[in-house]
Amino acid sequence: MNGLKRATEKNLMIFSGRSNVQLAEEVAYQLGTNLVPTSAYEFANSEMYVRYEESVRGSDAFVLQSHAAPVNEWIMEHLLMVDALKRASAKRITVVMPYYGYSRQDKKHRGREPISARLIADLFKTAGANRLMSVDLHADQIQGYFDGPVDHLVALPILSKYVRKKYGTERLAVVSPDAGRIKVAEQWSKRLGGAPLAFIHKTRDITRPNESVANRVVGEVTGRTCILVDDMIDTGGTITKAADALIAAGAADVIIAATHAILSGPAVDRLKNCNAREVIVTNTLPIPSERHFDKLTELSIAPLLARAIRAVFEDGSVTSLFEQTD
């Protein structure tokens, strides 16, 4: 037989941008490997430079970057890392973005607006990404913006396990901060033994970002410990107003649980001073030490990301990760 045969071996390599190195190191540790050494810096005019310090040819590359503030800088670095991998002949490139930047701009509310979440997907595809992986997308339809596989991971098992262990003996209710996220609240209810559901009826002026008005509580919360669940906390206005509305409606206590702790501007002060007993988040975004406060609990998303990366690398099922009971 003519020709050359070579038994190929798959080579998993983990790369990290500079926005959340600690999370990337945790993920690499869970996988029993190390981050690939990378040089990254800014030129005098603020342009970025990225270079990998070892060969990536033929690798199954997973490049992790949290789109934290300053969002535009870290997205640009992420894109450059993907482009560098493509030009260095990585075999497959999976973009791991624990928090998907611009995910709230997933549709047009008014004329002459962009659909920025779609643009982000297009940029990564153009840069050379073969696959996207993210945690708790703001809207499910974002999965369809990328022309390729998208692994939509959920932090619910991690958050609900903690809540059930700490508050499972109390009379609970699961509360969505608005009617649009009631399906997520239903999943929480199943994890918490069928706890009753409620939601906050709110109004929002689309011309005034990060502002909403909590009008009333819909559902029975009197005398219950309310688990107030959301995908993110940005300035904290929506979630703290919801907590106050629940206490005013007769709730015994409020526990806030959210995946992405953006914590912009006045968020920390608002959360410190609101009626919630505890604020539970994950480390999809880095939280500087000066933004920590007494009732903030941070859970690691690294085990979830590591299991998903391993499943993709081994051509296993990512979906099965969420079909298991915790």
Side-chain angles (χ1 to χ4, degrees):
M1 181 182 293
N2 296 322
L4 179 67
K5 286 189 175 181
R6 178 178 180 272
T8 58
E9 292 185 0
K10 297 178 73 175
N11 180 24
L12 185 152
M13 301 184 82
I14 305 292
F15 306 83
S16 174
R18 292 174 291 169
S19 73
N20 199 350
V21 177
Q22 183 176 347
L23 173 60
E25 288 176 341
E26 286 185 51
V27 171
Y29 177 79
Q30 294 274 339
L31 291 166
T33 186
N34 296 306
L35 298 178
V36 173
T38 305
S39 295
Y41 55 82
E42 287 80 29
F43 292 104
N45 68 346
S46 79
E47 290 180 1
M48 289 185 177
Y49 171 87
V50 172
R51 182 180 183 272
Y52 303 116
E53 300 297 333
E54 61 185 61
S55 174
V56 302
R57 184 178 297 274
S59 67
D60 202 342
F62 294 82
V63 54
L64 190 151
Q65 177 88 300
S66 293
H67 297 170
V71 177
N72 298 330
E73 290 184 22
W74 295 138
I75 289 176
M76 190 66 204
E77 182 179 79
H78 209 178
L79 290 165
L80 292 174
M81 294 177 74
V82 172
D83 186 75
L85 285 167
K86 178 182 69 174
R87 297 179 188 281
S89 301
K91 186 174 183 180
R92 180 172 63 171
I93 303 169
T94 299
V95 168
V96 183
M97 47 176 90
Y99 174 69
Y100 187 118
Y102 287 89
S103 61
R104 282 174 286 184
Q105 298 184 47
D106 60 291
K107 58 183 176 293
K108 291 176 66 172
H109 294 280
R110 297 181 294 170
R112 302 181 299 281
E113 288 183 342
I115 302 180
S116 306
R118 170 59 192 266
L119 176 60
I120 295 297
D122 289 343
L123 288 170
F124 278 102
K125 185 66 178 181
T126 300
N130 303 111
R131 188 182 195 107
L132 297 187
M133 182 181 293
S134 191
V135 182
D136 283 337
L137 292 169
H138 188 63
D140 288 340
Q141 67 261 27
I142 293 174
Q143 296 173 80
Y145 293 170
F146 182 75
D147 186 15
V150 176
D151 299 304
H152 184 196
L153 312 181
V154 294
L156 172 61
I158 294 171
L159 292 166
S160 62
K161 183 178 181 179
Y162 174 89
V163 169
R164 188 173 66 241
K165 183 177 181 180
K166 187 168 183 178
Y167 300 104
T169 58
E170 301 182 22
R171 293 179 68 240
L172 301 179
V174 178
V175 183
S176 170
D178 56 55
R181 300 194 64 79
I182 197 68
K183 287 186 178 179
V184 175
E186 289 174 350
Q187 296 171 17
W188 268 88
S189 175
K190 291 177 183 178
R191 296 265 178 171
L192 298 178
L197 297 172
F199 70 92
I200 309 295
H201 179 269
K202 72 176 184 181
T203 55
R204 185 186 295 274
D205 184 347
I206 61 174
T207 67
R208 298 172 66 87
N210 299 112
E211 288 189 24
S212 66
V213 177
N215 293 324
R216 66 181 185 278
V217 177
V218 180
E220 182 53 53
V221 299
T222 303
R224 293 183 177 271
T225 297
C226 292
I227 312 301
L228 182 57
V229 300
D230 209 349
D231 64 322
M232 66 180 70
I233 304 174
D234 191 354
T235 61
T238 296
I239 206 81
T240 55
K241 289 175 183 176
D244 294 341
L246 288 169
I247 295 298
D253 220 334
V254 176
I255 310 299
I256 294 172
T259 304
H260 308 297
I262 302 173
L263 304 184
S264 303
V268 170
D269 287 336
R270 286 173 172 174
L271 292 167
K272 279 182 182 177
N273 298 319
C274 78
N275 284 302
R277 188 202 315 182
E278 185 176 12
V279 180
I280 309 161
V281 298
T282 75
N283 61 344
T284 55
L285 291 164
I287 304 175
S289 57
E290 66 271 14
R291 306 292 282 172
H292 282 260
F293 51 97
D294 289 343
K295 56 186 176 182
L296 179 71
T297 298
E298 185 181 25
L299 305 178
S300 179
I301 205 77
L304 173 64
L305 291 173
R307 290 199 306 271
I309 288 171
R310 187 179 297 279
V312 170
F313 176 66
E314 296 176 349
D315 297 320
S317 171
V318 176
T319 302
S320 64
L321 297 178
F322 311 110
E323 293 173 346
Q324 302 167 2
T325 57
D326 54 25

